[in-house]
Amino acid sequence: MTDDELSAWIDAHVAGYGRVWGEAFAATGYVVVARHGVPFFQRSYGMADRALGIAPDASTRFRIG
């Protein structure tokens, strides 16, 4: 799988969250994929703060529970 194919697959997979159960279940976060310590895919999904309309970035802290 090429980097572009993997990127497209990740986007399609993450976009699928929320389609079945609604927007409240849509994925929110920041994804980094690296090879040998070198990132080749970085992308944010959803909102870090929905009320303020702020998208996540590499420095966003998320509650993991």
Coordinates of all heavy atoms in Angstrom, one line a residue:
M1 N 0.8 -1.2 0.0 CA 0.0 0.0 0.0 C 0.9 1.2 0.0 O 1.8 1.3 0.8 CB -0.9 0.0 1.2 CG -1.9 1.1 1.3 SD -3.0 1.1 2.7 CE -4.2 -0.1 2.2
T2 N 0.6 2.2 -0.9 CA 1.4 3.4 -0.9 C 0.9 4.4 0.2 O -0.1 4.2 0.8 CB 1.2 4.1 -2.3 OG1 -0.1 4.6 -2.4 CG2 1.6 3.2 -3.5
D3 N 1.7 5.4 0.4 CA 1.3 6.4 1.4 C 0.0 7.1 1.0 O -0.8 7.3 1.9 CB 2.4 7.5 1.5 CG 3.7 7.0 2.1 OD1 3.7 5.8 2.5 OD2 4.7 7.7 2.1
D4 N -0.2 7.4 -0.3 CA -1.4 8.0 -0.7 C -2.6 7.1 -0.5 O -3.7 7.5 -0.1 CB -1.4 8.4 -2.2 CG -0.4 9.6 -2.4 OD1 -0.2 10.4 -1.4 OD2 0.1 9.8 -3.5
E5 N -2.5 5.8 -0.8 CA -3.5 4.8 -0.6 C -3.9 4.7 0.9 O -5.1 4.6 1.3 CB -3.2 3.5 -1.2 CG -3.1 3.4 -2.7 CD -2.5 2.1 -3.2 OE1 -1.7 1.5 -2.5 OE2 -2.8 1.8 -4.4
L6 N -2.8 4.6 1.7 CA -3.1 4.6 3.2 C -3.8 5.8 3.7 O -4.7 5.7 4.5 CB -1.8 4.4 3.9 CG -1.9 4.2 5.5 CD1 -2.8 3.1 5.8 CD2 -0.6 4.1 6.1
S7 N -3.4 7.0 3.2 CA -4.0 8.2 3.6 C -5.5 8.2 3.2 O -6.4 8.6 4.0 CB -3.3 9.4 2.9 OG -2.0 9.5 3.4
A8 N -5.8 7.8 2.0 CA -7.2 7.7 1.5 C -8.0 6.7 2.4 O -9.2 6.9 2.7 CB -7.3 7.3 0.1
W9 N -7.4 5.6 2.7 CA -8.1 4.6 3.5 C -8.4 5.1 4.9 O -9.5 4.9 5.4 CB -7.2 3.3 3.6 CG -7.9 2.2 4.4 CD1 -8.8 1.3 3.9 CD2 -7.8 2.0 5.8 NE1 -9.2 0.5 4.9 CE2 -8.6 0.9 6.1 CE3 -7.1 2.6 6.8 CZ2 -8.8 0.4 7.4 CZ3 -7.3 2.1 8.1 CH2 -8.1 1.0 8.4
I10 N -7.4 5.8 5.5 CA -7.6 6.4 6.9 C -8.8 7.4 6.8 O -9.7 7.4 7.7 CB -6.3 7.0 7.4 CG1 -5.3 5.9 7.7 CG2 -6.6 7.8 8.7 CD1 -3.9 6.5 8.0
D11 N -8.7 8.3 5.8 CA -9.8 9.3 5.7 C -11.2 8.6 5.6 O -12.1 9.0 6.2 CB -9.6 10.2 4.5 CG -8.5 11.3 4.8 OD1 -8.3 11.6 5.9 OD2 -8.0 11.8 3.8
A12 N -11.3 7.6 4.7 CA -12.5 6.9 4.5 C -13.0 6.2 5.8 O -14.2 6.2 6.1 CB -12.4 5.9 3.3
H13 N -12.1 5.6 6.5 CA -12.4 4.9 7.7 C -12.9 5.8 8.8 O -13.9 5.6 9.4 CB -11.2 4.1 8.2 CG -11.5 3.2 9.4 ND1 -12.2 2.0 9.3 CD2 -11.2 3.4 10.7 CE1 -12.3 1.5 10.5 NE2 -11.7 2.3 11.4
V14 N -12.2 6.9 9.0 CA -12.6 7.8 10.0 C -13.9 8.6 9.7 O -14.7 8.8 10.5 CB -11.4 8.9 10.3 CG1 -11.9 10.0 11.2 CG2 -10.2 8.1 10.9
A15 N -14.1 8.9 8.4 CA -15.3 9.5 8.0 C -16.5 8.6 8.2 O -17.6 9.1 8.4 CB -15.2 9.9 6.5
G16 N -16.3 7.3 8.3 CA -17.4 6.4 8.5 C -18.0 6.5 9.9 O -19.2 6.2 10.1
Y17 N -17.2 6.9 10.9 CA -17.7 7.1 12.2 C -18.8 8.2 12.2 O -18.6 9.3 11.7 CB -16.6 7.5 13.2 CG -15.7 6.3 13.5 CD1 -14.5 6.1 12.8 CD2 -16.0 5.4 14.5 CE1 -13.7 5.1 13.1 CE2 -15.2 4.4 14.8 CZ -14.0 4.2 14.1 OH -13.2 3.2 14.4
G18 N -19.9 8.0 12.8 CA -20.9 8.9 12.9 C -22.0 8.8 11.8 O -23.1 9.2 12.0
R19 N -21.7 8.1 10.7 CA -22.7 7.9 9.7 C -23.8 7.0 10.2 O -25.0 7.2 9.9 CB -22.0 7.3 8.4 CG -21.3 8.2 7.6 CD -20.9 7.6 6.3 NE -19.9 8.4 5.7 CZ -18.9 8.0 5.0 NH1 -18.7 6.7 4.8 NH2 -18.0 8.8 4.4
V20 N -23.4 5.9 10.9 CA -24.4 5.0 11.3 C -25.2 5.5 12.6 O -26.4 5.4 12.6 CB -23.8 3.6 11.7 CG1 -24.8 2.6 12.2 CG2 -23.1 3.0 10.4
W21 N -24.5 6.0 13.6 CA -25.1 6.4 14.8 C -25.4 7.9 15.0 O -25.9 8.3 16.0 CB -24.3 5.9 16.0 CG -24.1 4.4 16.0 CD1 -25.1 3.5 16.1 CD2 -22.9 3.7 15.7 NE1 -24.6 2.2 16.0 CE2 -23.3 2.3 15.8 CE3 -21.6 4.0 15.5 CZ2 -22.3 1.3 15.6 CZ3 -20.7 3.0 15.3 CH2 -21.0 1.7 15.4
G22 N -24.9 8.7 14.1 CA -25.1 10.1 14.2 C -23.9 10.9 14.5 O -22.9 10.4 14.9
E23 N -24.0 12.2 14.3 CA -22.9 13.1 14.4 C -22.2 13.1 15.8 O -21.0 13.3 16.0 CB -23.3 14.5 14.1 CG -22.2 15.5 14.0 CD -21.2 15.2 12.9 OE1 -21.5 14.6 11.9 OE2 -20.0 15.6 13.1
A24 N -23.0 12.8 16.9 CA -22.5 12.7 18.2 C -21.4 11.7 18.3 O -20.6 11.7 19.2 CB -23.6 12.5 19.2
F25 N -21.4 10.6 17.4 CA -20.4 9.6 17.5 C -19.3 9.7 16.5 O -18.5 8.9 16.3 CB -21.1 8.2 17.3 CG -22.0 7.9 18.4 CD1 -23.4 8.2 18.4 CD2 -21.5 7.2 19.5 CE1 -24.2 7.9 19.5 CE2 -22.3 6.9 20.6 CZ -23.7 7.2 20.6
A26 N -19.3 10.9 15.8 CA -18.2 11.1 14.8 C -16.9 11.2 15.5 O -16.8 11.6 16.6 CB -18.5 12.4 14.0
A27 N -15.9 10.7 14.8 CA -14.5 10.7 15.3 C -14.0 12.1 15.5 O -14.2 13.0 14.7 CB -13.6 10.0 14.4
T28 N -13.3 12.3 16.7 CA -12.7 13.6 17.0 C -11.2 13.3 17.4 O -11.1 12.4 18.3 CB -13.4 14.4 18.1 OG1 -14.7 14.7 17.6 CG2 -12.6 15.6 18.4
G29 N -10.3 13.9 16.8 CA -8.9 13.7 17.2 C -7.9 14.1 16.2 O -8.2 14.8 15.2
Y30 N -6.7 13.7 16.5 CA -5.6 14.0 15.6 C -4.8 12.7 15.4 O -4.4 12.1 16.3 CB -4.7 15.1 16.3 CG -3.7 15.7 15.3 CD1 -4.0 16.7 14.5 CD2 -2.4 15.2 15.3 CE1 -3.2 17.3 13.6 CE2 -1.5 15.8 14.4 CZ -1.9 16.8 13.5 OH -1.0 17.4 12.7
V31 N -4.6 12.4 14.1 CA -4.0 11.1 13.7 C -2.6 11.4 13.1 O -2.5 12.3 12.2 CB -4.8 10.3 12.7 CG1 -4.1 9.1 12.3 CG2 -6.2 10.0 13.3
V32 N -1.6 10.7 13.6 CA -0.2 10.8 13.0 C 0.2 9.4 12.8 O 0.1 8.5 13.6 CB 0.8 11.4 14.0 CG1 2.2 11.4 13.4 CG2 0.3 12.8 14.4
V33 N 0.7 9.1 11.5 CA 1.2 7.8 11.1 C 2.6 8.1 10.7 O 2.9 8.9 9.9 CB 0.4 7.2 10.0 CG1 1.0 5.8 9.6 CG2 -1.1 7.0 10.4
A34 N 3.6 7.3 11.3 CA 5.0 7.5 11.0 C 5.6 6.2 10.6 O 5.2 5.1 11.0 CB 5.7 8.0 12.2
R35 N 6.6 6.3 9.8 CA 7.4 5.2 9.4 C 8.9 5.4 9.8 O 9.4 6.5 9.4 CB 7.3 5.0 7.9 CG 8.1 3.8 7.4 CD 8.0 3.6 5.8 NE 6.6 3.2 5.5 CZ 5.8 3.9 4.7 NH1 6.3 5.0 4.2 NH2 4.6 3.5 4.4
H36 N 9.5 4.6 10.6 CA 10.8 4.8 11.1 C 11.0 6.1 11.8 O 12.0 6.8 11.6 CB 11.8 4.6 9.9 CG 11.7 3.3 9.2 ND1 12.1 2.1 9.8 CD2 11.3 3.0 8.0 CE1 11.9 1.1 8.9 NE2 11.4 1.7 7.8
G37 N 10.0 6.5 12.5 CA 10.0 7.8 13.2 C 9.7 9.0 12.4 O 9.8 10.1 13.0
V38 N 9.5 8.9 11.2 CA 9.2 10.0 10.3 C 7.7 10.1 9.9 O 7.2 9.2 9.2 CB 10.1 10.0 9.0 CG1 9.8 11.2 8.1 CG2 11.5 9.9 9.4
P39 N 7.0 11.1 10.4 CA 5.6 11.2 10.0 C 5.3 11.4 8.5 O 6.0 12.2 7.9 CB 5.1 12.4 10.8 CG 6.1 12.7 11.8 CD 7.4 12.2 11.3
F40 N 4.4 10.6 8.0 CA 4.1 10.8 6.6 C 2.6 11.1 6.4 O 2.1 11.4 5.3 CB 4.5 9.6 5.7 CG 3.8 8.3 6.0 CD1 2.6 8.0 5.3 CD2 4.2 7.4 6.9 CE1 1.9 6.8 5.5 CE2 3.6 6.2 7.1 CZ 2.4 5.9 6.4
F41 N 1.8 11.0 7.5 CA 0.4 11.3 7.5 C 0.0 12.0 8.8 O 0.3 11.5 9.9 CB -0.4 10.1 7.3 CG -1.9 10.3 7.3 CD1 -2.6 10.7 6.2 CD2 -2.6 10.2 8.5 CE1 -4.0 10.9 6.2 CE2 -4.0 10.4 8.6 CZ -4.7 10.8 7.4
Q42 N -0.5 13.2 8.7 CA -1.0 13.9 9.9 C -2.3 14.6 9.5 O -2.3 15.3 8.5 CB 0.0 15.0 10.3 CG 1.3 14.4 10.7 CD 2.3 15.5 11.2 OE1 1.9 16.4 12.0 NE2 3.5 15.5 10.8
R43 N -3.3 14.4 10.3 CA -4.6 15.1 10.0 C -5.5 15.1 11.2 O -5.5 14.2 12.0 CB -5.3 14.3 8.9 CG -6.6 15.0 8.4 CD -6.9 14.7 6.9 NE -5.7 14.9 6.1 CZ -5.5 14.0 5.1 NH1 -6.2 13.0 4.8 NH2 -4.4 14.3 4.3
S44 N -6.2 16.2 11.3 CA -7.2 16.4 12.4 C -8.6 16.0 11.9 O -8.9 16.1 10.7 CB -7.2 17.8 12.9 OG -7.6 18.7 12.0
Y45 N -9.4 15.5 12.8 CA -10.8 15.1 12.5 C -11.7 15.7 13.6 O -11.3 15.7 14.8 CB -10.9 13.6 12.5 CG -10.1 13.0 11.4 CD1 -8.9 12.5 11.6 CD2 -10.6 12.9 10.1 CE1 -8.1 11.9 10.6 CE2 -9.9 12.3 9.1 CZ -8.7 11.8 9.4 OH -7.9 11.2 8.3
G46 N -12.8 16.2 13.2 CA -13.8 16.7 14.1 C -13.4 18.0 14.8 O -12.7 18.8 14.2
M47 N -14.0 18.2 16.0 CA -13.7 19.4 16.7 C -13.1 19.1 18.1 O -13.6 18.3 18.8 CB -15.0 20.2 16.9 CG -15.6 20.8 15.6 SD -14.5 22.1 15.1 CE -15.1 22.5 13.5
A48 N -12.1 19.9 18.4 CA -11.6 19.8 19.8 C -12.6 20.4 20.8 O -12.7 20.0 21.9 CB -10.2 20.5 19.9
D49 N -13.2 21.5 20.3 CA -14.2 22.2 21.1 C -15.4 22.6 20.2 O -15.3 23.5 19.4 CB -13.6 23.5 21.8 CG -14.6 24.1 22.8 OD1 -15.8 24.1 22.6 OD2 -14.1 24.7 23.8
R50 N -16.4 21.8 20.3 CA -17.6 22.0 19.4 C -18.3 23.3 19.7 O -18.7 24.0 18.7 CB -18.6 20.8 19.5 CG -18.1 19.6 19.0 CD -19.0 18.4 19.1 NE -18.4 17.2 18.6 CZ -19.0 16.1 18.4 NH1 -20.3 16.0 18.6 NH2 -18.4 15.0 18.0
A51 N -18.4 23.7 20.9 CA -19.1 24.9 21.3 C -18.4 26.2 20.7 O -19.0 27.1 20.2 CB -19.2 25.1 22.8
L52 N -17.0 26.1 20.7 CA -16.3 27.3 20.1 C -15.9 27.1 18.7 O -15.3 27.9 18.1 CB -15.0 27.5 21.0 CG -15.3 27.9 22.4 CD1 -14.0 28.0 23.2 CD2 -16.1 29.2 22.5
G53 N -16.1 25.9 18.1 CA -15.8 25.6 16.7 C -14.3 25.5 16.5 O -13.8 25.9 15.4
I54 N -13.5 25.0 17.5 CA -12.1 24.9 17.3 C -11.7 23.5 16.9 O -12.0 22.5 17.6 CB -11.4 25.2 18.7 CG1 -11.7 26.6 19.1 CG2 -9.9 25.0 18.6 CD1 -11.3 27.0 20.5
A55 N -10.9 23.4 15.8 CA -10.5 22.1 15.3 C -9.2 21.6 16.1 O -8.5 22.5 16.6 CB -10.1 22.2 13.9
P56 N -9.0 20.3 16.3 CA -7.8 19.9 17.0 C -6.6 20.1 16.1 O -6.6 20.1 14.9 CB -8.1 18.4 17.2 CG -9.1 18.0 16.2 CD -9.9 19.2 15.9
D57 N -5.4 20.1 16.8 CA -4.1 20.1 16.1 C -3.2 19.3 16.9 O -3.6 18.6 17.8 CB -3.6 21.6 15.9 CG -3.3 22.3 17.2 OD1 -3.1 21.6 18.2 OD2 -3.3 23.5 17.1
A58 N -1.9 19.3 16.5 CA -0.9 18.4 17.1 C -0.7 18.6 18.5 O -0.3 17.7 19.3 CB 0.4 18.5 16.3
S59 N -1.0 19.8 19.0 CA -0.8 20.1 20.4 C -2.1 20.0 21.3 O -2.0 20.3 22.5 CB -0.2 21.6 20.6 OG -1.2 22.5 20.1
T60 N -3.2 19.6 20.7 CA -4.4 19.5 21.4 C -4.4 18.4 22.4 O -3.9 17.3 22.1 CB -5.6 19.3 20.5 OG1 -5.7 20.4 19.6 CG2 -6.9 19.2 21.2
R61 N -4.8 18.6 23.6 CA -4.9 17.5 24.6 C -6.3 17.0 24.7 O -7.3 17.8 24.7 CB -4.5 18.1 26.0 CG -3.1 18.4 26.1 CD -2.8 18.9 27.5 NE -1.3 19.1 27.6 CZ -0.7 19.1 28.8 NH1 -1.4 18.8 29.9 NH2 0.6 19.3 28.8
F62 N -6.4 15.7 24.7 CA -7.7 15.1 24.7 C -7.9 14.3 25.9 O -6.9 13.7 26.4 CB -7.9 14.1 23.5 CG -8.0 14.8 22.2 CD1 -6.8 15.0 21.4 CD2 -9.2 15.3 21.7 CE1 -6.9 15.6 20.2 CE2 -9.2 15.9 20.5 CZ -8.1 16.1 19.7
R63 N -9.1 14.2 26.5 CA -9.4 13.3 27.6 C -9.6 11.9 27.0 O -10.3 11.7 26.0 CB -10.7 13.7 28.3 CG -10.6 14.9 29.1 CD -11.9 15.3 29.8 NE -12.6 14.1 30.2 CZ -13.7 14.1 30.9 NH1 -14.2 15.3 31.3 NH2 -14.3 13.0 31.3
I64 N -8.9 11.0 27.6 CA -9.0 9.6 27.2 C -9.6 8.8 28.3 O -9.1 8.8 29.4 CB -7.7 9.0 26.7 CG1 -7.1 9.8 25.6 CG2 -7.8 7.6 26.4 CD1 -5.7 9.4 25.2
G65 N -10.7 8.2 28.1 CA -11.4 7.5 29.2 C -11.8 6.1 28.9 O -11.8 5.6 27.9

